[in-house]
Amino acid sequence: MAAPMEFIRRKRGPRLLILFLLAFALPSVSALIEGLYCGTEVCYDVLGVTRDAAKSDIARAYRQLARKYHPDRYRAGDPGLAGETPQSAHQKFLLIVTAYETLRDEESRKDYDYMLDHPEEYYSHYYHYYKTRLAPKVDVRIVILVTVCAISVFQYYSWWSSYTEAINYLSTVPKYRIQATELARQQGLLNRTKEKGKNRRSKEEIREGEEEIIRDIIKNKIDIKGGYQKPNISDILLCKIILFPYYLCTYIIWYCSWVYRFNIKREEYGEEEKLYIIRKNMKMSQAQFDGLEDHQKETFLEQRLWLKENYEVYKEQQEEEMKIKMAMDPRWKRYRRWMKNEGPGRLTFIDD
């Protein structure tokens, strides 16, 4: 009988040692954690209120204590601050503020009460505390909305600026200027009549008025495509985000129709479909492709560039033409000569 009892004592010794070490290794189970909320003080006790106190009672207690311990109101020898130094009164005031900040917010107070009731969930309390403290004070959705609106306004203003520059440039191009001037004369907008009296304008004012008329005719009669086309409010970022579900549904319907018509039923491509395939082969955006002249698009159709093999031949021809053009260009020759003789990585010493 003695032998089994001795065996049990030998087995129990290591277990007790392990439990003893774990007791020192793990944090002590306490509802008051240093560094969280009011630290080792209970926030309710700091303000002198009970756990079931209303928000008004908490605010009243905070105001009374804040007036008492505020650094600006501290006076040495004050009977109400007996035994307090300026430093201790300041630390007390900070503790009062922390307690009030903890208990005045419903969410923070709920987390604090949970910590008091469940002290064993040590790491969970850290998570909830820093989650509340580090959470952004402004709603992220509002920040995103304001950012998108600012980008959209900048986009729209930038497009209008580019469009105005394009109109001003086209008004100086003889081809468009002559056409616009002829249309203005036909409409009677440039028929100069002698002005008399106070309404008589100077030659400079008359010239500015005629320029404005020509710009208006170019703006209304000429369809500018590409990056300088007339701004459309539906193209800004905000509208695109709002209309994204519509665009997505439209694309899905279009794609399913394309697959059904041309992959399943084997229909012949129309002119619009051919131009779409050509644009995809050339890796051009819709705005870039719209900026091309109509005769260029007709040439693409005549060359049947929607067929992959024809486009590969066309691409090789364009590359060869570009090489020949660059070889014959005197500016390119000078650049190659400079790269060969001087080059960016070569040091030269020139006497002034």
Side-chain angles (χ1 to χ4, degrees):
M1 188 66 179
M5 291 299 295
E6 184 66 23
F7 176 78
I8 292 173
R9 291 193 194 96
R10 291 178 181 176
K11 288 293 184 179
R12 186 180 296 173
R15 292 181 183 178
L16 293 175
L17 180 61
I18 292 174
L19 292 176
F20 179 77
L21 294 175
L22 288 175
F24 280 91
L26 293 176
S28 60
V29 179
S30 174
L32 304 177
I33 304 173
E34 187 68 36
L36 299 187
Y37 303 105
C38 297
T40 56
E41 300 283 340
V42 179
C43 293
Y44 292 102
D45 296 341
V46 171
L47 297 179
V49 296
T50 60
R51 286 189 60 174
D52 57 352
K55 292 181 66 175
S56 58
D57 297 333
I58 294 173
R60 189 182 305 110
Y62 164 72
R63 287 194 295 268
Q64 292 175 356
L65 293 172
R67 283 195 297 266
K68 180 179 179 181
Y69 289 96
H70 196 282
D72 295 338
R73 302 177 68 91
Y74 176 82
R75 296 293 182 271
D78 190 342
L81 298 175
E84 296 284 352
T85 63
Q87 292 78 15
S88 63
H90 180 69
Q91 293 297 325
K92 183 72 173 179
F93 175 75
L94 294 179
L95 184 61
I96 292 169
V97 172
T98 303
Y100 177 66
E101 292 290 336
T102 301
L103 300 181
R104 74 170 182 171
D105 182 68
E106 292 293 338
E107 190 68 26
S108 177
R109 184 177 180 180
K110 181 179 177 181
D111 291 340
Y112 183 70
D113 290 342
Y114 186 83
M115 186 185 76
L116 295 178
D117 296 334
H118 301 83
E120 70 279 358
E121 299 181 15
Y122 185 83
Y123 298 105
S124 177
H125 301 324
Y126 269 104
Y127 169 75
H128 288 289
Y129 175 80
Y130 286 106
K131 178 184 176 183
T132 305
R133 293 299 183 274
L134 300 178
K137 302 301 180 182
V138 182
D139 194 343
V140 178
R141 294 170 295 183
I142 297 177
V143 175
I144 294 175
L145 179 61
V146 172
T147 303
V148 170
C149 291
I151 294 174
S152 301
V153 170
F154 176 77
Q155 270 186 326
Y156 197 66
Y157 174 78
S158 177
W159 286 343
W160 265 111
S161 178
S162 300
Y163 178 68
T164 304
E165 291 179 1
I167 294 297
N168 293 335
Y169 169 73
L170 291 178
S171 63
T172 62
V173 177
K175 172 184 175 182
Y176 299 106
R177 186 176 181 85
I178 292 172
Q179 293 179 2
T181 304
E182 187 63 28
L183 286 173
R185 287 201 179 98
Q186 292 176 4
Q187 297 176 9
L189 300 176
L190 294 181
N191 294 332
R192 297 184 182 181
T193 57
K194 294 184 178 180
E195 299 176 353
K196 299 180 180 180
K198 297 181 180 180
N199 295 329
R200 185 175 182 180
R201 296 180 298 171
S202 63
K203 292 183 179 180
E204 187 66 26
E205 292 175 342
I206 294 174
R207 189 178 300 108
E208 290 179 359
E210 291 178 351
E211 289 293 331
E212 187 65 28
I213 291 172
I214 291 174
R215 282 196 294 267
D216 289 339
I217 291 177
I218 293 175
K219 185 185 300 183
N220 297 323
K221 298 296 182 179
I222 298 178
D223 183 19
I224 302 177
K225 299 179 180 180
Y228 297 98
Q229 63 184 356
K230 190 173 183 178
N232 190 351
I233 196 171
S234 62
D235 292 333
I236 64 175
L237 179 61
L238 180 62
C239 291
K240 284 186 175 294
I241 293 175
I242 295 174
L243 298 175
F244 176 75
Y246 168 75
Y247 291 142
L248 180 61
C249 293
T250 304
Y251 175 77
I252 292 174
I253 294 172
W254 171 86
Y255 183 77
C256 294
S257 175
W258 181 282
V259 172
Y260 175 74
R261 290 177 56 194
F262 303 113
N263 292 0
I264 298 176
K265 293 185 65 177
R266 300 293 182 179
E267 291 184 10
E268 293 290 335
Y269 293 129
E271 182 175 328
E272 183 178 351
E273 288 78 16
K274 293 176 181 177
L275 290 175
Y276 169 77
I277 298 175
I278 292 172
R279 180 174 69 83
K280 287 298 183 182
N281 289 337
M282 292 184 172
K283 295 180 175 59
M284 298 176 67
S285 65
Q286 187 66 52
Q288 292 173 327
F289 197 74
D290 290 341
L292 299 177
E293 299 290 341
D294 292 336
H295 67 85
Q296 290 180 291
K297 298 178 182 178
E298 293 175 358
T299 303
F300 295 157
L301 293 173
E302 291 174 359
Q303 296 178 345
R304 299 168 61 87
L305 296 185
W306 66 88
L307 299 176
K308 196 69 175 179
E309 56 274 12
N310 292 348
Y311 174 73
E312 293 297 335
V313 174
Y314 169 80
K315 183 179 178 181
E316 293 178 0
Q317 292 176 351
Q318 292 296 112
E319 291 175 353
E320 290 296 329
E321 291 179 3
M322 181 60 66
K323 290 179 181 179
I324 295 173
K325 186 182 296 185
M326 293 175 66
M328 300 298 295
D329 190 352
R331 292 176 298 180
W332 179 246
K333 289 181 178 179
R334 287 197 300 270
Y335 174 74
R336 287 187 300 176
R337 191 180 307 116
W338 177 79
M339 289 293 294
K340 180 179 180 181
N341 297 329
E342 304 295 337
R346 181 171 178 178
L347 295 175
T348 57
F349 298 87
I350 302 176
D351 296 330
D352 294 335

